[in-house]
Amino acid sequence: MIRFLLKGLVRDKSRSRLPIIVVAIGVMLSVFLHAYVTGLMVDMIEMTAKFSSGHVKVMTKAYADNADQVPNDLAILDAGALMDRLRKEFPDINWTARIRFGGLVDVPDDSGVTRTQGPAMGMGIDLLSENTRETDRLNLKKSIVRGNLPASAGEILLSEAFSQKLEVNPGEKVTLIGSTMNGGMAIYNFIVSGTVSFGTSALDRGTIIADLADVQQALEMQDAAGEITGFFSQGFYDDEVAQINLDKFNALFTIDEDDYRPVMLRLRDQESLGFYVDMTKNMGTIITLVFMIAMSLVLWNAGLLGGLRRYGEIGVRLAIGEEKGHVYRTMIYESVMIGIAGTLAGTAIGLLLAWLLQKYGLDIGTFTKGSSAAVMLPDVIRARITPADYYIGFIPGVISTVIGTALSGIGIYKRKTAQLFKELEA
Amino acid sequence: MDHSIIQIEKLTKSFPMGKSKFTALYGIDLSFGEGEFAGFIGPSGSGKTTLLNIIGSLDVPTTGNVLVLGNSVGELTAKQAARLRKESLGFIFQSYNLLAVHTVFENVEFPLLLLKYSTSERRNMVMDALAWVGLTDKVKSKPPQLSGGECQRVAIARAMVKRPSLVLADEPTANLDAANSHNILQTMVKLNRDLKTTFLFATHDEKVIGYLRRKVYLLDGKIDKDEVLSN
């Protein structure tokens, strides 16, 4: 019987073509969108983690409460000792101290008078120590547009867009004007060693990157750090790993209720990243459900149209003695075959499109220009093909065809057999 | 007439029509024996198709009793009615109703698939049925490639392939020319004679009426005349 049905499906293009095309399109979109959204979300989360949140971050309680203001007067003191303890207690996490700061970058002319100046957001990171991973983590080498990475104390990187705005070139001197940890005025000279472009408008607008020790000196933050950022050795954020480490940290460090006690925040606890983490986790389910419902509706209608076209066939089958339930079941078998065929085609096309987007990316820099979102959106978005993309299409592909057929096939049960001759002869 | 395979007693069939009802058959009493070649004859609306439907377990009586091969049609469940049709009844339709995408062989084979015959049994039975109607050379053809007469012969083969006790034919020659009609009817007469299959027609075609050995005339839902020709 299955062979009989299969022959009918293969030969009757109008019975199989439309449903297969509908399923293939739906599955293709499901697979492609899943890969696309996964790529976008993971890139966004990891980029934000690398430049800002870390996978976990340790700050003082007071700093954490006002983190959006970057209150360096509430920074961690004795950061070196805390770092040593964190490295000892959490050996699977790579810890690094950072200072975020704001200020004015002033570019003097030959006579020392201000030529140009502009507001900047700065990051003090470990650029110069022997075993630093910050250079690789922030992809600084590949981000260099002009000049070089800082090779000695007193050198900084400027974002390319910012350097053009200030009309300053590598090798020239700039002055950072800001405030020290103690509330005094900080004036510190740097040499621009190079310019960088991260492909993210939020970073490229007005960023300066300096060595942590230089920033500590400039802001009078010796052995202090605004935040100690931790990155999981597995290379990506994992909610469960973060929770385990948070629990361990809380057990180790909740000694007193001092405002300056260290607290740990997971990536999901910072800004609105929890929403994105949850969204990434649930995206597969959401996309699958949306397409399953949409395709079921389309296939329901396609099934009704097909059912009308096959009225005669179904009528004669019932007259010959096939039970209604058997006719209904065979229609379901057919829908499974159609679902599998459409899913295979849709998955192949979806994966191909996702692969193209993964390899070549899509530049959305024009749309994100001027964005000040806390979450960093890369200018070039790329899909990310995961193992789920190979099977995720089967859920909407097969289930929607079965639901669509089941709904449209209900008419068989409502049909009076007595009308068969009349309908068949009509 | 040998054993009675159809017994109809005081059959009445009504259909609801809005708030009133339309009665298509009034107190029909009939019986048919094994091997009969009979037909219900009458103008449109006389009730002949309704009667054929009830005998074919496609519909149920409003009152009265209809026994077909020992099964009381009014008391059969949908499953039992389907089984009766599947195992013991064959249908021939005015417009053939063949499955267009399947070959002649597959169309004739379909009732045997439902009866779960083995592949070799099916092959033999289908070829036998096609031999009865003279279509063994059209095994791989599809209905759109056949003439109207050939299509109706395929339909007869499909109805006969499982060797049913009873074949019901509703206006089987309505779409055929005279030559094809006679050809089809001669085929059915031969099958009736050789296999002892009972044939019941619903018709108002004179060509069909000429072949019938029993003619039950219906008029306004009642039996007007029941004419049995002597051999």
Side-chain angles (χ1 to χ4, degrees):
Chain A
M1 181 56 93
I2 296 286
R3 229 171 70 183
F4 183 85
L5 295 172
L6 201 57
K7 279 181 190 169
L9 276 181
V10 171
R11 291 175 193 164
D12 188 356
K13 298 282 186 292
S14 57
R15 195 196 303 177
S16 51
R17 189 165 43 198
L18 176 65
I20 286 179
I21 289 172
V22 170
V23 173
I25 290 173
V27 168
M28 178 196 76
L29 288 172
S30 301
V31 171
F32 175 73
L33 276 179
H34 186 261
Y36 162 72
V37 173
T38 304
L40 181 66
M41 290 293 181
V42 171
D43 279 358
M44 205 160 68
I45 289 169
E46 286 305 320
M47 194 156 188
T48 308
K50 284 174 183 171
F51 280 92
S52 173
S53 67
H55 294 146
V56 290
K57 190 191 272 185
V58 175
M59 298 167 277
T60 65
K61 170 77 168 58
Y63 186 101
D65 289 344
N66 301 282
D68 54 330
Q69 297 167 28
V70 197
N72 281 327
D73 53 325
L74 306 173
I76 300 164
L77 302 177
D78 298 326
L82 181 57
M83 285 267 285
D84 288 342
R85 188 167 177 203
L86 288 171
R87 282 178 181 139
K88 186 180 165 201
E89 300 288 353
F90 302 90
D92 288 337
I93 297 177
N94 180 256
W95 297 99
T96 184
R98 286 178 177 179
I99 296 173
R100 289 194 289 151
F101 58 96
L104 197 65
V105 171
D106 183 282
V107 182
D109 62 14
D110 292 340
S111 58
V113 178
T114 298
R115 189 177 75 203
T116 54
Q117 61 178 205
M121 276 306 296
M123 262 205 309
I125 60 173
D126 181 7
L127 279 174
L128 299 176
S129 72
E130 202 173 315
N131 298 319
T132 181
R133 294 190 195 175
E134 292 283 71
T135 311
D136 289 338
R137 184 173 293 130
L138 302 185
N139 203 21
L140 290 179
K141 278 181 190 160
K142 286 188 179 170
S143 302
I144 289 281
V145 179
R146 291 182 291 154
N148 300 296
L149 287 177
S152 57
E155 291 186 340
I156 59 163
L157 290 169
L158 257 62
S159 67
E160 171 66 14
F162 191 39
S163 76
Q164 285 182 7
K165 185 182 159 192
L166 297 179
E167 297 171 349
V168 64
N169 296 308
E172 293 187 281
K173 190 169 79 175
V174 296
T175 305
L176 171 69
I177 304 168
S179 64
T180 67
M181 185 181 180
N182 304 312
M185 192 169 181
I187 299 175
Y188 201 84
N189 291 328
F190 289 100
I191 299 293
V192 178
S193 70
T195 65
V196 284
S197 177
F198 297 108
T200 301
S201 298
L203 288 171
D204 287 342
R205 217 169 25 242
T207 297
I208 57 175
I209 297 174
D211 183 55
L212 181 69
D214 281 340
V215 176
Q216 283 174 327
Q217 196 171 342
L219 306 182
E220 296 177 6
M221 293 178 70
Q222 278 75 13
D223 200 24
E227 42 202 52
I228 297 172
T229 314
F231 295 91
F232 298 150
S233 55
Q234 62 197 26
F236 54 88
Y237 179 72
D238 184 322
D239 238 1
E240 287 177 20
V241 175
Q243 185 61 50
I244 291 166
N245 284 296
L246 177 64
D247 292 342
K248 185 177 175 185
F249 182 91
N250 287 339
L252 286 169
F253 285 89
T254 48
I255 304 161
D256 51 43
E257 290 303 308
D258 181 358
D259 268 356
Y260 293 92
R261 73 181 188 275
V263 293
M264 177 185 276
L265 294 184
R266 299 167 299 174
L267 178 143
R268 70 152 47 248
D269 302 323
Q270 301 174 56
E271 310 287 354
S272 49
L273 288 168
F275 169 75
Y276 292 100
V277 171
D278 291 337
M279 206 165 148
T280 307
K281 271 185 180 174
N282 299 325
M283 195 46 66
T285 312
I286 294 167
I287 290 174
T288 303
L289 272 178
V290 167
F291 279 93
M292 203 168 82
I293 292 166
M295 283 198 292
S296 294
L297 291 173
V298 175
L299 291 166
W300 179 6
N301 284 290
L304 284 174
L305 290 172
L308 286 175
R309 220 180 54 77
R310 297 174 69 188
Y311 220 58
E313 179 205 325
I314 291 168
V316 79
R317 284 168 62 179
L318 292 172
I320 284 172
E322 193 171 354
E323 287 172 22
K324 285 181 178 180
H326 191 264
V327 174
Y328 194 70
R329 281 196 300 279
T330 57
M331 289 175 73
I332 299 290
Y333 298 154
E334 283 185 8
S335 70
V336 171
M337 295 180 206
I338 286 170
I340 291 172
T343 301
L344 289 173
T347 301
I349 300 169
L351 284 172
L352 175 68
L353 293 177
W355 177 79
L356 289 172
L357 189 62
Q358 182 172 282
K359 186 169 171 64
Y360 298 107
L362 181 68
D363 191 347
I364 57 160
T366 315
F367 305 108
T368 57
K369 204 171 184 178
S371 161
S372 57
V375 175
M376 291 169 198
L377 197 63
D379 283 355
V380 178
I381 52 171
R382 293 176 192 281
R384 182 171 295 195
I385 296 172
T386 57
D389 295 317
Y390 291 90
Y391 60 79
I392 200 167
F394 280 87
I395 302 165
V398 176
I399 291 179
S400 60
T401 44
V402 170
I403 291 174
T405 306
L407 289 171
S408 61
I410 287 170
I412 291 173
Y413 275 103
K414 290 187 174 170
R415 188 178 181 191
K416 284 194 173 179
T417 315
Q419 296 299 313
L420 281 173
F421 276 142
K422 211 172 280 178
E423 287 162 2
L424 287 171
E425 301 305 330
Chain B
M1 198 181 300
D2 299 322
H3 307 292
S4 178
I5 62 165
I6 300 168
Q7 286 178 305
I8 303 170
E9 293 170 0
K10 296 183 176 58
L11 167 65
T12 301
K13 179 66 186 177
S14 304
F15 297 102
M17 286 188 75
K19 287 179 181 173
S20 61
K21 62 178 183 179
F22 166 72
T23 302
L25 296 169
Y26 293 90
I28 304 287
D29 286 301
L30 274 173
S31 72
F32 293 94
E34 195 178 17
E36 285 208 53
F37 199 81
F40 302 117
I41 302 160
S44 293
S46 58
K48 56 188 187 298
T49 295
T50 304
L51 189 50
L52 209 64
N53 281 352
I54 294 171
I55 294 170
S57 76
L58 297 167
D59 207 345
V60 290
T62 305
T63 61
N65 191 27
V66 176
L67 273 180
V68 176
L69 299 163
N71 299 281
S72 176
V73 172
E75 292 167 13
L76 294 177
T77 63
K79 269 193 170 185
Q80 289 167 331
R83 190 182 304 146
L84 173 65
R85 291 196 298 273
K86 182 167 69 178
E87 292 173 355
S88 308
L89 306 184
F91 288 88
I92 298 169
F93 307 99
Q94 177 183 323
S95 49
Y96 331 129
N97 287 306
L98 300 176
L99 305 176
V101 296
H102 290 282
T103 62
V104 165
F105 185 94
E106 288 159 355
N107 266 280
V108 178
E109 184 190 29
F110 184 68
L112 304 178
L113 286 172
L114 297 178
L115 289 166
K116 300 191 187 328
Y117 280 100
S118 69
T119 308
S120 60
E121 282 175 318
R122 289 202 307 268
R123 173 150 196 87
N124 292 336
M125 291 169 82
V126 170
M127 292 314 290
D128 284 349
L130 288 174
W132 297 333
V133 297
L135 282 177
T136 46
D137 57 333
K138 301 281 185 184
V139 168
K140 289 182 179 169
S141 301
K142 289 179 184 162
Q145 299 166 322
L146 303 177
S147 68
E150 286 172 329
C151 281
Q152 195 60 301
R153 275 154 55 190
V154 175
I156 293 170
R158 182 178 64 186
M160 292 299 301
V161 69
K162 61 190 174 190
R163 311 220 177 177
S165 305
L166 174 64
V167 171
L168 303 169
D170 192 6
E171 305 282 11
T173 55
N175 288 340
L176 300 177
D177 59 25
N180 269 313
S181 295
H182 286 295
N183 187 303
I184 292 296
L185 287 161
Q186 282 160 9
T187 304
M188 289 198 265
V189 166
K190 186 173 177 294
L191 290 168
N192 167 255
R193 190 182 60 227
D194 295 350
L195 302 174
K196 305 288 179 221
T197 306
T198 304
F199 279 79
L200 272 187
F201 294 81
T203 186
H204 56 353
D205 183 348
E206 288 300 331
K207 297 186 290 293
V208 178
I209 295 168
Y211 282 86
L212 298 177
R213 290 202 300 276
R214 183 177 174 188
K215 301 167 188 175
V216 179
Y217 289 90
L218 293 174
L219 190 64
D220 297 332
K222 294 174 186 164
I223 296 173
D224 187 44
K225 197 164 50 172
D226 188 355
E227 213 177 77
V228 182
L229 301 184
S230 55
N231 287 330

